[in-house]
Each structure stands twice: as C-alpha cells, then as structure tokens.
Amino acid sequence: MRMNPAAENNDRQQLGERLNAGGFRFTSQRRCVYDVLLNKRDHPTADEVFMRAKKGMPEISHATVYNCLDALVECGLARQVHLQRGAARFCPNMEEHCHYYCDACGEVFDVTLPADGAMMPKPRGFKVDHYDIAVHGLCAACAKKK
Amino acid sequence: MRMNPAAENNDRQQLGERLNAGGFRFTSQRRCVYDVLLNKRDHPTADEVFMRAKKGMPEISHATVYNCLDALVECGLARQVHLQRGAARFCPNMEEHCHYYCDACGEVFDVTLPADGAMMPKPRGFKVDHYDIAVHGLCAACAKKK
DNA sequence: TCCTTATTTAGAATTATTCCAAATCTTGAC
DNA sequence: GTCAAGATTTGGAATAATTCTAAATAAGGA
C-alpha cells in the first residue's frame, strides 16, 4: 500500500500549494501531521496520529493534530473515514477507493475502485463531493478462525 | 421514506423471531427501541433514540438503548451507519441502499441501490458481511444557498 | 521590521460510549 | 403456575473522542 519515494516527495511538495489554495497557512505542525499520514498508511485515528507526531515534535498538542487533520481534509490531501463506532480514521490516499474493514480484528485495507461513482444514482439537486465506501466483514485470517 | 402499515406490522412481528434466532431474549425495551426506529426513519443517533424511547418508557436507561440497538444490529433488523465524526446513527432499512449525507445541514436520505455489491472487487479470503456506502456533498437546498 | 491575523498550546469542557454491580425480568423445566 | 438459571436492565461512574477557550506564538504581506 506504499507509494514509491518520488511520489511521496511529490505529495510533500504539494502540501504548501494545497494549503495556500485552501486559504490555510503552511506550518511545521501541518507538515509533521501530513508526514505521519504518508509514512504509515494504516488508517490511524487522530489519537494515533498524535502519538506518532509527538516523536518528531514533542510539544505538539492534541487540538493542533485535530486542526491539522481537518485542514488536510479540507484542502484535499487526506480523507476522513468512518468505519466503526468511536474514533474517525485518516487516510492520505486520494485515489477513488473503498475500505475493506475486518469487524473482528479492525484491520483496514484500501482497494482501488475500477470505476468511480458512475454507477451511483444521482438524486436531483444533490451536489456530490465524495464517496465513502466501506465493506464490512472478516479478513482472510479472521474468517479462517471461525 | 415510510413503509405502509402492513409492512410495519410485519417488521414488528419479526422482532421476536429474529431476536430468538440471534440468541437474544425478547424484552419490552427492545420492542420499544425497535418501534422508535420504525416510527421515524430519520437516522437518529443513539441519544436521539434514547430521548424518543423515554416518551413511551420513561425508566429506560442509556445503557439499555445501546444494548438494544446492538442487539437489533446483530440480528439483522437494523444497521449502524457512520457518516461523520461523532455519534453513530441507526437505520431500520435493511434493503441494499446507500446514504446521501449533506455535510452542511446533516440531512440524510436513503437511496436504494440498483445492483447490490456485484460491482465491488472481491479480495481473496475476505468474507463480506455488508456494504456501508455514503455519498457526501450538499443537499439541493444547501447547494442552492452557496 | 512591523502589523494583522491565523495558528498553536494546555487544559477544561463536552459529547459519545462503555463498564459495573445489584436488582429485575425471561424462559424453560417441573 | 412456580422455580431456578441466566440474560437483561438500571443508574451512575468511568473512559474515550472531540471541541472549546483564552493567552502566547508564528506566518505572510506591506
């Protein structure tokens, strides 16, 4: 699920522009949080991002992590995903994809979608921003156990 | 979004059987909570269900509402949906459908899906339980305002 | 460099959910 | 119908997730 190094550099360079375009300022905290998302693409919760971010930036605060994540979501560099009761998760993969979620062990993985929202019905007047598609069930390992 | 009265009676009669089949007991609280879901299909949060349930059953507790909702979800009479940060919502519509969610005003509505998960990729070994498909954007009314 | 304004910070406050132990039901056997 | 066993409910406390607040700091333009 990792991208190649060149693509990651690209991602990081885009940060400044994208923040600007969205009316946000570039800050070291936002870079740090974005790096956390890019470095381990395992759909961390805000709290997991917080703990990882503290390794490189010990003074960063909880509220800032939320602020940074929200800024990244708003300027199109990350997505927020809602898979279960409790904490939201974050994902820097902006390709059209869906999330397979194991209800037993909590594992999440991305699967790129062949077609985009073309198959979806389009209610009159509704202005679509994005799709949030989760597939719940048991991952291969957990399915075998039962 | 309401079903006809005959269908609702059907829904209510199924409650006992379904609970049994799932290894749950029938209780008045579970009937009450299920009735709340059937009576107003507006995707209430657990807390909204709690407040509505109290009208008919003033002594019902918060923990019981969670317990009942979880039981209903587990025996296939309701679905839990995760649309935004914060509270989960509940929905007694068990047809294959997706949720259109207005990020501005919070309105939710169901749209029955033409095809079921047939178009989805099937990762090897993953045992699919159900799909949870949300479409984010602006409802007609909010789209007009902007 | 200075000013304006966004952002960060720590901690308090709020919201959402889960846990707990005692009391109370539901169900099946008799 | 009565009883016992075990599931469920209760109220309240505990925990988790997120938001708010006011003061301090940092970013970007003039």
Side-chain angles (χ1 to χ4, degrees):
Chain A
M1 217 49 71
R2 303 292 308 279
M3 303 184 83
N4 63 56
E8 289 205 355
N9 274 337
N10 237 350
D11 283 341
R12 289 193 171 88
Q13 284 165 9
Q14 285 196 346
L15 177 57
E17 305 170 26
R18 290 299 202 94
L19 284 171
N20 274 169
F24 296 101
R25 287 182 180 173
F26 175 91
T27 67
S28 56
Q29 288 86 348
R30 284 173 179 158
R31 179 172 49 203
C32 170
V33 165
Y34 190 44
D35 276 348
V36 165
L37 290 186
L38 292 178
N39 282 334
K40 194 168 176 206
R41 293 160 176 260
D42 62 348
H43 307 82
T45 63
D47 201 60
E48 287 166 340
V49 172
F50 175 57
M51 291 186 297
R52 293 175 196 175
K54 276 205 294 199
K55 288 181 189 155
M57 186 176 263
E59 350 62 59
I60 198 169
S61 83
H62 222 149
T64 299
V65 169
Y66 276 96
N67 172 314
C68 293
L69 288 170
D70 288 344
L72 293 173
V73 168
E74 219 176 297
C75 64
L77 290 165
R79 296 178 52 180
Q80 185 172 21
V81 282
H82 309 106
L83 292 168
Q84 83 293 89
R85 214 137 81 186
R89 294 155 175 273
F90 296 85
C91 163
N93 177 0
M94 297 304 289
E95 284 182 73
E96 193 75 54
H97 70 283
C98 63
H99 293 107
Y100 278 70
Y101 177 70
C102 178
D103 289 306
C105 71
E107 197 201 0
V108 187
F109 56 93
D110 293 2
V111 174
T112 299
L113 282 179
D116 66 349
M119 72 298 234
M120 297 301 239
K122 295 272 187 301
R124 38 313 25 136
F126 194 96
K127 187 154 170 298
V128 173
D129 181 73
H130 69 278
Y131 298 92
D132 192 354
I133 302 178
V135 183
H136 287 254
L138 298 175
C139 71
C142 291
K144 203 174 285 179
K145 283 180 204 158
K146 305 243 160 159
Chain B
M1 220 47 77
R2 304 291 308 281
M3 303 183 82
N4 63 58
E8 289 205 353
N9 273 336
N10 236 352
D11 282 342
R12 289 193 172 90
Q13 284 166 9
Q14 286 195 347
L15 176 58
E17 305 169 23
R18 290 299 201 92
L19 285 170
N20 274 168
F24 295 102
R25 289 184 176 171
F26 176 90
T27 68
S28 56
Q29 288 84 350
R30 283 172 183 161
R31 180 173 47 203
C32 170
V33 165
Y34 190 43
D35 277 347
V36 165
L37 290 186
L38 293 178
N39 282 334
K40 195 168 175 206
R41 293 159 176 264
D42 61 347
H43 306 83
T45 64
D47 201 58
E48 287 164 341
V49 172
F50 175 55
M51 291 186 296
R52 294 175 196 175
K54 275 205 293 198
K55 287 180 191 158
M57 185 176 262
E59 350 61 61
I60 198 168
S61 83
H62 222 149
T64 298
V65 169
Y66 276 97
N67 172 313
C68 293
L69 288 169
D70 287 345
L72 293 173
V73 168
E74 221 176 294
C75 64
L77 289 166
R79 298 177 52 178
Q80 185 172 21
V81 282
H82 309 105
L83 292 168
Q84 82 295 91
R85 213 136 82 184
R89 293 154 175 272
F90 296 86
C91 163
N93 177 359
M94 297 304 289
E95 284 182 72
E96 193 76 54
H97 70 282
C98 63
H99 293 108
Y100 278 71
Y101 177 70
C102 177
D103 289 306
C105 71
E107 197 201 359
V108 187
F109 54 94
D110 293 3
V111 174
T112 300
L113 283 178
D116 67 348
M119 75 293 237
M120 297 301 240
K122 296 272 187 302
R124 48 279 68 109
F126 193 96
K127 188 154 169 298
V128 173
D129 180 72
H130 69 277
Y131 298 91
D132 193 354
I133 302 178
V135 183
H136 286 253
L138 298 176
C139 70
C142 290
K144 203 173 285 180
K145 283 181 204 154
K146 305 242 159 159

